């Protein structure tokens, strides 16, 4: 596998249609890639099957197409790659880096896991999660937009889940395996994932995968400060007409598109945006309020 100078990706979950928040991530990752003459791939992160919405993958890809955002190579679906994640998990288990955990989720959700099941191995049963042991060590990165970020995995995160008790492979493992398998060099995504990144850096080290360059874009919140999501009924973006929507995304990303673009066609809009993309102008915020009506 040859690594290109730049290969980025947009990796939506089909838990709903594209809303303004996920559109911003699509536009930001697309422009960052194209400005650097890079490739831009699309990966559908559809492992969390209970949350998938029927038809959402097709609708997301159709919206991107209508907006003039064309991707390179075939779209990957994580649901078709489970065997690769299981192989990666087995490699960690063979190194005694994992252990089964039978703690009920209600006792562990939102907390730093105590490591109870590492010290008290549960009797084999069907519903067990698999956790990764983490070292009491700082994992740091310099994010292109958010700057220096560091986490002590043992103190701030705890041994984290690689496979859920319902048998579903966790996001952390799948994203690391796929970014490496696809030769991703640049990850541009929402700032809600910044605090997941040290975990992913640790997994990359364990597998001897390269760590990509990271840029975390601000998240859009509604007037109550809630992240836009299907759960809080963020409206799906309407891709027609495309130009005003792209201009809105550019403005939110701090790119100050000139007025004359309002009267131009979609191709000219993208030409301007690709040529003038400047990640230094993206607001250094985790949250950005936007009128989403
Ligand atoms: Zn446990």
């Amino acid at each position: 596998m040859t690594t290109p100078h730049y290969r980025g990706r947009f990796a939506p979950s089909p838990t709903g249609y594209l809303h303004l928040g996920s559109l911003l991530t699509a536009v930001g990752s697309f422009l960052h890639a194209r400005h650097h003459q890079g490739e831009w791939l699309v990966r559908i992160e559809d492992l969390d099957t209970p949350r998938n919405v029927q038809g959402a993958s097709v609708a997301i890809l159709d919206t991107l197409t209508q907006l003039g955002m064309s991707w390179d190579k075939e779209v990957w679906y994580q649901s078709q790659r489970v065997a690769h994640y299981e192989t990666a998990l087995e490699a960690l288990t063979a190194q005694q880096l994992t252990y089964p955990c039978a703690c009920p989720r209600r006792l562990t959700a939102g907390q730093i896991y105590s490591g109870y099941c590492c010290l008290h191995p549960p009797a084999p049963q069907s519903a067990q999660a698999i956790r990764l042991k983490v070292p009491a060590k700082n994992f740091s990165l310099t994010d292109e937009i958010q700057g220096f970020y560091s986490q002590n995995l043992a103190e701030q995160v705890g041994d984290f889940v690689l496979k859920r008790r319902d048998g579903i492979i966790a996001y952390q493992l799948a994203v690391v395996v796929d970014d490496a398998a696809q030769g991703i060099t640049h990850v541009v995504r929402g700032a809600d994932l910044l605090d997941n990144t040290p975990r992913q850096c640790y997994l990359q080290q364990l597998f001897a995968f390269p760590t990509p360059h990271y840029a975390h874009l601000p998240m859009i919140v509604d007037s109550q400060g809630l992240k836009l999501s299907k759960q809080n009924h963020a409206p799906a973006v309407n891709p027609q007409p495309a130009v005003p929507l792209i201009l809105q995304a550019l403005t939110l990303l701090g790119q100050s598109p000139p007025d004359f673009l309002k009267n131009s066609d979609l191709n000219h809009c993208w030409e301007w945006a690709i040529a003038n993309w400047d990640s230094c102008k993206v607001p250094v915020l985790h949250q950005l309020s936007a009128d989403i009506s």
Side-chain angles (χ1 to χ4, degrees), residues 140-141 184-185 197 200-202 204-205 208-214:
S140 316
L141 65 140
I184 300 298
T185 61
T197 310
Q200 292 164 24
C201 293
Y202 177 49
Q204 288 153 3
Q205 286 184 15
F209 293 157
T211 287
H213 180 94
Y214 287 101

Side-chain angles (χ1 to χ4, degrees), residues 101-103 113 117:
C101 170
C103 300
Y113 184 62
C117 289

Side-chain angles (χ1 to χ4, degrees), residues 4-286:
H5 79 288
Y6 187 119
R7 186 178 284 160
R9 86 304 194 274
F10 172 55
S13 296
T15 53
Y17 303 126
L18 275 192
H19 52 69
L20 192 56
S22 42
L23 175 71
L24 217 62
T25 305
V27 169
S29 63
F30 177 74
L31 288 175
H32 200 279
R34 296 302 191 219
H35 180 76
H36 293 94
Q37 289 90 45
E39 295 175 326
W40 186 67
L41 277 51
V42 174
R43 178 202 306 151
I44 302 290
E45 297 197 333
D46 57 351
L47 285 181
D48 195 352
T49 38
R51 293 181 63 222
N52 288 344
V53 170
Q54 181 134 33
S57 300
V58 171
I60 289 169
L61 296 174
D62 178 62
T63 300
L64 294 175
T65 301
Q66 287 196 54
L67 291 173
M69 300 167 75
S70 57
W71 53 89
D72 301 300
K73 311 210 181 280
E74 247 182 288
V75 174
W76 278 26
Y77 293 83
Q78 288 192 322
S79 56
Q80 296 169 8
R81 293 188 37 78
V82 172
H84 297 269
Y85 313 138
E86 295 284 1
T87 301
L89 182 57
E90 282 163 20
L92 298 176
T93 299
Q95 296 174 71
Q96 301 184 320
L97 291 166
T98 68
Y99 60 91
C101 170
C103 300
R105 203 177 133 67
R106 69 190 151 75
L107 295 182
T108 60
Q111 293 183 31
I112 297 169
Y113 184 62
S114 66
Y116 180 84
C117 289
C118 187
L119 297 169
H120 308 92
Q125 58 181 74
S126 54
Q128 289 179 342
I130 306 288
R131 289 184 183 270
L132 179 70
K133 298 177 196 172
V134 298
K137 199 180 144 197
N138 286 317
F139 287 82
S140 316
L141 65 140
T142 301
D143 186 88
E144 181 174 331
I145 294 164
Q146 308 293 335
F148 181 77
Y149 187 78
S150 182
Q151 247 178 3
N152 183 302
L153 286 184
E155 288 170 14
Q156 293 172 267
V157 178
D159 296 343
F160 60 89
V161 171
L162 297 178
K163 188 177 184 177
R164 301 182 348 193
R165 53 190 294 147
D166 59 7
I168 292 177
I169 295 287
Y171 166 73
Q172 312 295 346
L173 178 62
V175 75
V176 164
V177 169
D178 283 352
D179 281 341
Q182 290 189 294
I184 300 298
T185 61
H186 290 69
V187 172
V188 179
R189 62 186 178 187
D192 57 332
L193 292 168
L194 180 63
D195 69 359
N196 285 224
T197 310
R199 269 171 272 180
Q200 292 164 24
C201 293
Y202 177 49
L203 281 168
Q204 288 153 3
Q205 286 184 15
L206 291 177
F207 291 124
F209 293 157
T211 287
H213 180 94
Y214 287 101
H216 284 87
L217 301 166
M219 301 301 302
I220 299 201
V221 296
D222 65 14
S223 51
Q224 274 100 52
L226 294 169
K227 182 192 151 188
L228 294 196
S229 68
K230 193 185 69 132
Q231 285 72 27
N232 57 30
H233 309 292
V237 293
N238 178 356
Q240 297 299 336
V243 168
L245 185 59
I246 298 304
L247 294 179
Q248 184 187 13
L250 290 172
T251 301
L252 286 165
L253 288 166
Q255 303 300 300
S256 316
D259 271 351
F260 71 82
L261 287 179
K262 284 179 190 154
N263 304 313
S264 71
D265 62 27
L266 192 56
N267 284 339
H268 282 103
C269 191
W270 282 121
E271 269 174 34
W272 182 90
I274 290 166
N276 291 283
W277 169 256
D278 184 355
S279 64
C280 296
K281 292 184 176 170
V282 175
V284 185
L285 291 169
H286 284 209

